[in-house]
Amino acid sequence: MKRLLLLLPAILLTTHICASENKANMLPLIPYPQSVERQAGELQLGQQVQLSVASEAVHAGAAVRQLLGDRKVEVSADTGPAVALVVVEESALGDEGYRLSIGDEVRLEAQTDTGLFYAVQTLRQLLPVEPQDSYTLPKLTIVDTPEFAWRGTMLDVARSFLPISYLEAHIDRMALFKLNRLHLHLSDDQGWRVEIKSHPRLTEIGGASSVEGGRSGFYTQWELRDLVAYGEARGVTIVPEIDLPGHTQAAIASYNELACQGVTNLSTYSGVEVGFSKLCLDQPDVTYPFVEAVLAEIVDIFPSEYIHIGGDEIKDPLYAEFISRATKIVADLGRTAVAWEEGSVAEMDNNVLLQLWNDEYDIQPALDRGHQLILSPCSYTYFDHGNYDGQPDTYTWCRKEGVPLERAYSLDPQSFKQIYGVESAMWSELVHTDETADNRLWPRVITTAELGWSPLEARDFDRFLYRLDALRPHLDALGIEYYRPPELGW
Ligand code: ACM
């Protein structure tokens, strides 16, 4: 029923709007662009092109050279069609938008390096994955900007660790789909994954633990700085989360004084329960210096404007005061906090972002105070839930039938108010290997990309499947061990 309703406005739109095209005419692009105008004819791209790259286009320039190199197309001084990356002043394109014109030449225009990087990704999706003698590109003009600023995926590396190699591969995969925020859940009861030089036991003790059957480990600050740069080159900002004041057993096991006096459970934890641990909010002289010291190092490692302070699943009379103070600590460090939805009870600056995760949570009071939301309602975006009803080793607490691809695609961000972005999450209590992570994330993460970028009228599940099927060679080339949804017949 919902899909039919979504289709109607599309049919009424003018011909250049993508969703009104029939499938055969549809470009194999995800996320689908805001506007596609097809022109008659095709451009033949042989084995040489004349490339020009604006000096500002550092990352986009690297991406287009990589693309041409992978497709065995040489850059020549005087032979072949022009491929030009041009910076333009055109405020309607914003920070991330671009224009891609394919006529007798290929012209990519944007206000920023990021916009040009996304234009390169669109060109990449229009080209086959395997090198060929020549490439046929449709003549067209695409003008494209994202619906939402934040298009994220969250990886829980705390319950079970994911190696840097996996995070880099994940960033490569995100980039192809114009996803731009990698939220790392760096601490929880079962593990602490980020080196904090002022508190080395956090990783000596907390880094060595994990959920039962999961992987332990931690990232050095040097590794994380490298990862930040890796993400920056691909349009992906790493958003660190230190989950506070609950979900802190790994911190307490590392520094017992963080627990209230009389608490006897001071060991590392490998179970899957939630809501039992907390920093002692009755001991502000211990708790706040710890929080300040940790967050100071976090902002030093991660240039992200937004720093996630957690705030979920904990009851304490001083909880609201803690969130107020922790968001202020982040602000004093020159950044803006993100908190899970429960943080909405606190008094704080209304630029703090709230991340909605329970479908039914009453977030209206926070909206009334002017907060913006990151949408992660669990029954659509929690990809630790099954790809299908009954998938082994998946959660069912939020939705007993799991979160199949069509369900994930059916989230309608435009029906919410004050949305800053969309993010899907993979918690790792039951995800202990790279292969399982791939299975849970892909192809569902691709729905997040489209929900976060494409206009409502471009969204239709059957057409999405058609485009996803066409892009399958890209998933294979990226080495993704994706789940095979039956509706795709893969
Ligand atoms: C959450 O799922 N506890 C944010």
Side-chain angles (χ1 to χ4, degrees):
M1 190 59 202
K2 197 159 186 195
R3 266 165 57 199
L4 270 180
L5 288 177
L6 287 184
L7 199 56
L8 269 179
I11 290 166
L12 301 174
L13 286 167
T14 57
T15 51
H16 74 270
I17 297 287
C18 42
S20 63
E21 294 178 62
N22 64 36
K23 263 197 218 170
N25 230 355
M26 206 167 210
L27 297 167
L29 297 174
I30 300 179
Y32 211 74
Q34 295 277 345
S35 147
V36 177
E37 246 178 63
R38 301 287 289 268
Q39 284 112 34
E42 287 160 342
L43 170 68
Q44 293 300 325
L45 212 83
Q47 287 176 338
Q48 290 182 318
V49 294
Q50 301 178 61
L51 179 67
S52 65
V53 177
S55 60
E56 299 91 328
V58 176
H59 301 316
V64 78
R65 286 190 188 90
Q66 169 97 44
L67 175 63
L68 295 172
D70 288 350
R71 300 300 180 279
K72 307 275 184 274
V73 176
E74 281 174 19
V75 174
S76 155
D78 48 20
T79 313
V83 175
L85 274 63
V86 183
V87 171
V88 292
E89 260 187 56
E90 213 175 299
S91 58
L93 293 177
D95 290 341
E96 295 189 295
Y98 66 91
R99 180 183 298 102
L100 171 63
S101 313
I102 303 177
D104 296 331
E105 57 172 36
V106 181
R107 192 173 170 84
L108 299 78
E109 296 167 300
Q111 298 210 111
T112 62
D113 189 13
T114 306
L116 287 170
F117 182 85
Y118 290 146
V120 173
Q121 300 314 311
T122 298
L123 182 61
R124 183 176 163 200
Q125 291 190 356
L126 289 172
L127 289 167
V129 167
E130 293 297 328
Q132 301 185 355
D133 290 343
S134 79
Y135 301 90
T136 305
L137 286 168
K139 291 194 173 173
L140 50 70
T141 306
I142 290 175
V143 183
D144 201 11
T145 54
E147 287 282 298
F148 300 109
W150 183 298
R151 305 175 301 280
T153 83
M154 191 215 77
L155 298 179
D156 172 7
V157 294
R159 272 54 178 267
S160 183
F161 186 67
L162 285 165
I164 287 281
S165 57
Y166 191 86
L167 301 186
E168 288 182 352
H170 191 65
I171 288 170
D172 289 339
R173 298 159 177 187
M174 289 174 69
L176 177 63
F177 297 101
K178 306 184 177 79
L179 288 159
N180 67 355
R181 295 290 195 290
L182 173 55
H183 166 181
L184 291 180
H185 184 75
L186 288 165
S187 70
D188 211 301
D189 292 317
Q190 297 84 347
W192 185 284
R193 307 292 177 218
V194 48
E195 177 189 20
I196 300 294
K197 292 187 195 288
S198 64
H199 289 76
R201 292 214 301 274
L202 287 170
T203 44
E204 279 164 29
I205 295 171
S209 82
S210 74
V211 75
E212 192 175 349
R215 290 186 285 197
S216 57
F218 69 91
Y219 312 112
T220 65
Q221 294 198 359
W222 181 85
E223 286 175 316
L224 288 168
R225 286 180 209 282
D226 229 38
L227 189 72
V228 164
Y230 194 90
E232 262 173 19
R234 292 158 182 80
V236 175
T237 301
I238 314 286
V239 180
E241 178 188 353
I242 299 297
D243 202 350
L244 303 165
H247 289 268
T248 40
Q249 189 64 22
I252 288 167
S254 307
Y255 290 94
N256 292 172
E257 61 272 26
L258 294 170
C260 284
Q261 277 165 20
V263 171
T264 53
N265 175 13
L266 300 170
S267 320
T268 53
Y269 179 70
S270 61
V272 296
E273 297 306 315
V274 295
F276 62 90
S277 63
K278 56 184 168 185
L279 301 182
C280 187
L281 303 186
D282 298 324
Q283 292 176 30
D285 304 350
V286 178
T287 297
Y288 289 102
F290 172 76
V291 171
E292 279 163 6
V294 168
L295 290 178
E297 291 195 40
I298 291 292
V299 301
D300 198 45
I301 304 166
F302 298 98
S304 169
E305 178 187 351
Y306 291 100
I307 304 291
H308 206 308
I309 56 156
D312 57 326
E313 296 183 304
I314 192 65
K315 296 224 172 335
D316 190 288
L318 296 175
Y319 170 79
E321 183 195 325
F322 175 85
I323 295 295
S324 300
R325 287 185 67 168
T327 57
K328 172 88 169 41
I329 291 169
V330 173
D332 289 347
L333 290 165
R335 308 295 177 85
T336 305
V338 186
W340 294 107
E341 63 196 14
E342 296 98 312
S344 62
V345 299
E347 272 182 42
M348 55 191 169
D349 286 350
N350 67 4
N351 63 354
V352 171
L353 294 179
L354 292 165
Q355 187 164 7
L356 192 70
W357 63 279
N358 279 293
D359 291 29
E360 306 300 333
Y361 191 83
D362 180 12
I363 203 71
Q364 191 56 46
L367 295 180
D368 293 343
R369 292 201 306 278
H371 291 282
Q372 287 192 288
L373 303 182
I374 300 167
L375 278 184
S376 306
C378 55
S379 80
Y380 297 87
T381 69
Y382 271 27
F383 297 160
D384 46 40
H385 280 55
N387 283 292
Y388 59 92
D389 191 355
Q391 183 173 19
D393 296 324
T394 61
Y395 269 136
T396 51
W397 61 262
C398 180
R399 189 166 190 270
K400 69 176 174 25
E401 307 88 349
V403 181
L405 191 65
E406 183 167 10
R407 170 75 184 177
Y409 193 74
S410 70
L411 175 66
D412 179 9
Q414 280 84 353
S415 69
F416 291 78
K417 289 193 221 93
Q418 291 162 231
I419 299 307
Y420 193 65
V422 187
E423 182 173 296
S424 45
M426 189 195 70
W427 301 96
S428 63
E429 288 96 329
L430 306 175
V431 180
H432 304 157
T433 65
D434 293 3
E435 292 70 29
T436 312
D438 272 12
N439 173 283
R440 301 299 184 270
L441 290 166
W442 303 95
R444 289 185 288 185
V445 162
I446 301 171
T447 67
T448 315
E450 180 136 311
L451 298 176
W453 184 289
S454 303
L456 180 61
E457 60 270 20
R459 294 208 309 268
D460 172 77
F461 187 60
D462 288 339
R463 287 160 195 239
F464 175 74
L465 290 181
Y466 175 82
R467 289 179 279 127
L468 184 53
D469 191 38
L471 291 173
R472 184 181 182 193
H474 284 270
L475 305 188
D476 290 329
L478 288 163
I480 303 177
E481 303 213 30
Y482 45 79
Y483 168 71
R484 296 163 189 234
E487 56 268 55
L488 281 162
W490 285 357

